[in-house]
Amino acid sequence: MTGIPAPVGPPGLSRRRLLGTALTSGAALLGAAALSGCGSAQASDASTVRLWDLFSGADGGLLNDMVRAARPDMPGTRIERTVLEWGTPYYTKLAMASAGGRGPEVAVAHMSRLASYAPTGLLDPWDLDVLAEYGVGRDDFADAVWARTQYRGHTYAVPLDTHPFIVFFHPEPAAKAGLLTPDGVLDTEAFSSPDRFLAAGRELAKASGRQGIAFGYVTDTAQGWRLFYGLYRQTGGAFDLPAGGPAEVDVDRMAEVIAFMAKLVDGRVNPKRLDYPAAIAAFANRQTAMILSGEWELGTFRTADKNVSAAPFPTVFGTPAVYADSHSFVLPRHPDPDPEHRRRTHRAVAALLKAGQIWATAGHIPAYGPVTRTCAYARLQPQAHYAKAQDHVVLDPSVWFAGAGSDFQNAMSQVLQQALLDGLAPDRAARAMVQRLNTFLSKPSPA
């Protein structure tokens, strides 16, 4: 699922590739036994709060800056970071450590992964009363994000950010194509139906003299799903996945969305065969006027063009919905946590949330509302232009097999690639996706 304020390499070098680093230099390292789930990650002293996260590269540097900025709000506390490999390796190690009650005091997890952890007893709930003592309350978070933190009346995640799938654009060709408002904001009305979206793409191609809208999806394990699911939820169609199945979805609306996606990559609006790195490079090098991508690529694009702009993903099918995920703080299970140390952990997380302006420079939308309501945040461009996306975010379905870096996203994207690349009919692609959904639903959670 997965921002960068500092240069991360030449245009086209994706942040996702940078996140492949297993451990960031300078982070506290786990021993082999702890990484296998057999050792202990307990704090060595009462003043230390151990944090596991998956932020390497520039994001890791930003989190270090946040830790330093948070110190005045957590006197006497030291946060010790351990950075692990992004994706399945991270979540496997977190599950093993939590199952053994030997995890760190706090960890970062994608909100889309919560359904495979909270129901299986791998996490402890947060104490909202204690968080409130340190200035963090439920009303500080957008409803769409907060709703996913809950399980059986308890709060199992505290959101750090929202990272949505948005549109980036170069202002000059967008203005030339007549797609900006007088104040330089993207005119989303020009993209408010499938036909209008495609027409806008063709106008952008004329204005740029090259390509209109880039969308890199070939061989990518998640991009196709991100675009599809956000658009499908805009149709208002049901997407319910009850345990054991069958999936309760609207196949006709799924086919409608797939048909639109196929037209988007028919060679007129966007090259038919464009992989993720090539799309990033094409936009960074101004070979295309717009790109559909995650806000986490802001650093790459701004390094190439400091005037790059962005907007929430347009409402194409009538109902506002923006695909997104959320980095959040979770409490790995401890059979007998020390009350004072647990309180110290709550205070440390509250302090990190209050330092969210630093995190915002990467492109992520800070989940803690008091940060995004400041004048300092309003001056962040283009971040402030798409901050309202968090009001309409939709995360992966709340099932154990979905979420960032999952086989589920890969399986859905494989079918979509057959439709976009190989001409698989939209209705057949929709039925193939449903078949795969039912296969996942028939399997019990391994946890």
Side-chain angles (χ1 to χ4, degrees):
M1 229 225 324
T2 122
I4 316 162
V8 296
L13 181 58
S14 166
R15 170 181 179 271
R16 289 298 181 195
R17 294 186 180 277
L18 290 173
L19 287 178
T21 304
L23 295 171
T24 297
S25 61
L29 302 182
L30 287 175
L35 288 178
S36 70
C38 300
S40 174
Q42 297 293 333
S44 57
D45 62 80
S47 67
T48 300
V49 171
R50 293 196 174 185
L51 166 66
W52 283 12
D53 66 76
L54 31 65
F55 301 124
S56 60
D59 276 0
L62 275 188
L63 188 54
N64 285 336
D65 292 342
M66 291 174 67
V67 170
R68 286 188 285 269
R71 284 172 184 163
D73 287 326
M74 51 176 189
T77 296
R78 182 175 70 93
I79 293 178
E80 183 177 287
R81 291 182 58 207
T82 296
V83 185
L84 302 175
E85 185 179 357
W86 192 93
T88 299
Y90 178 81
Y91 287 105
T92 299
K93 291 166 186 172
L94 179 60
M96 292 173 68
S98 298
R102 296 186 176 119
E105 281 69 51
V106 63
V108 170
H110 288 86
M111 193 78 76
S112 61
R113 287 278 191 160
L114 198 63
S116 62
Y117 282 79
T120 53
L122 294 175
L123 302 177
D124 289 335
W126 289 88
D127 189 325
L128 297 187
D129 290 337
V130 175
L131 283 174
E133 291 180 27
Y134 300 119
V136 174
R138 181 262 170 272
D139 292 339
D140 294 323
F141 303 90
D143 291 342
V145 180
W146 186 260
R148 289 294 293 267
T149 70
Q150 304 297 296
Y151 177 68
R152 292 188 175 178
H154 295 284
T155 301
Y156 282 90
V158 176
L160 168 63
D161 65 29
T162 304
H163 44 281
F165 194 75
I166 62 174
V167 297
F168 289 98
F169 61 90
H170 293 296
E172 297 86 350
K176 186 177 179 181
L179 299 174
L180 299 186
T181 64
D183 56 355
V185 176
L186 190 70
D187 180 8
T188 54
E189 185 63 26
F191 297 81
S192 59
S193 73
D195 288 341
R196 287 181 177 179
F197 197 107
L198 295 171
R202 290 190 284 271
E203 290 301 314
L204 285 169
K206 293 178 185 177
S208 71
R210 296 185 179 183
Q211 302 168 9
I213 303 174
F215 173 55
Y217 68 97
V218 178
T219 70
D220 190 273
T221 60
Q223 281 290 88
W225 167 252
R226 290 173 181 141
L227 180 58
F228 167 83
Y229 192 59
L231 290 171
Y232 177 80
R233 292 295 297 271
Q234 290 186 2
T235 71
F239 204 94
D240 298 324
L241 305 180
E248 299 172 7
V249 298
D250 190 321
V251 176
D252 291 338
R253 294 187 184 188
M254 290 175 67
E256 181 183 12
V257 169
I258 296 170
F260 167 68
M261 291 174 63
K263 291 179 181 178
L264 187 63
V265 296
D266 65 1
R268 300 180 65 191
V269 176
N270 179 56
K272 189 175 182 66
R273 295 181 178 273
L274 196 60
D275 64 28
Y276 189 90
I280 298 298
F283 182 75
N285 295 326
R286 302 182 66 87
Q287 294 174 348
T288 184
M290 178 178 284
I291 188 170
L292 315 180
S293 190
E295 51 75 25
W296 50 83
E297 296 294 358
L298 176 60
T300 300
F301 297 148
R302 194 158 48 189
T303 298
D305 180 3
K306 61 182 177 61
N307 294 317
V308 69
S309 195
F313 201 95
T315 301
V316 183
F317 287 95
T319 302
V322 178
Y323 180 86
D325 209 333
S326 169
H327 295 118
S328 59
F329 294 106
V330 297
L331 297 172
R333 172 185 168 273
H334 283 276
D336 187 24
D338 176 77
E340 285 306 310
H341 206 70
R342 184 55 63 86
R343 173 178 289 273
R344 184 184 294 274
T345 301
H346 281 60
R347 186 174 192 177
V349 166
L352 288 173
L353 294 178
K354 294 172 185 178
Q357 179 73 12
I358 296 172
W359 197 238
T361 61
H364 312 307
I365 304 172
Y368 185 59
V371 171
T372 58
R373 291 192 289 268
T374 64
C375 292
Y377 185 82
R379 290 192 293 269
L380 280 179
Q381 302 296 335
Q383 292 94 316
H385 286 165
Y386 58 80
K388 62 183 179 181
Q390 67 180 332
D391 295 330
H392 303 291
V393 297
V394 291
L395 281 70
D396 270 16
S398 185
V399 288
W400 69 265
F401 52 79
S406 63
D407 290 340
F408 165 75
Q409 290 186 347
N410 187 28
M412 296 296 104
S413 293
Q414 285 176 353
V415 176
L416 291 166
Q417 287 184 34
Q418 293 177 35
L420 305 188
L421 283 174
D422 303 327
L424 181 65
D427 60 333
R428 292 183 61 193
R431 290 195 295 272
M433 291 176 72
V434 173
Q435 185 177 19
R436 294 196 178 196
L437 283 170
N438 289 333
T439 299
F440 278 108
L441 288 169
S442 69
K443 300 176 182 178
S445 169

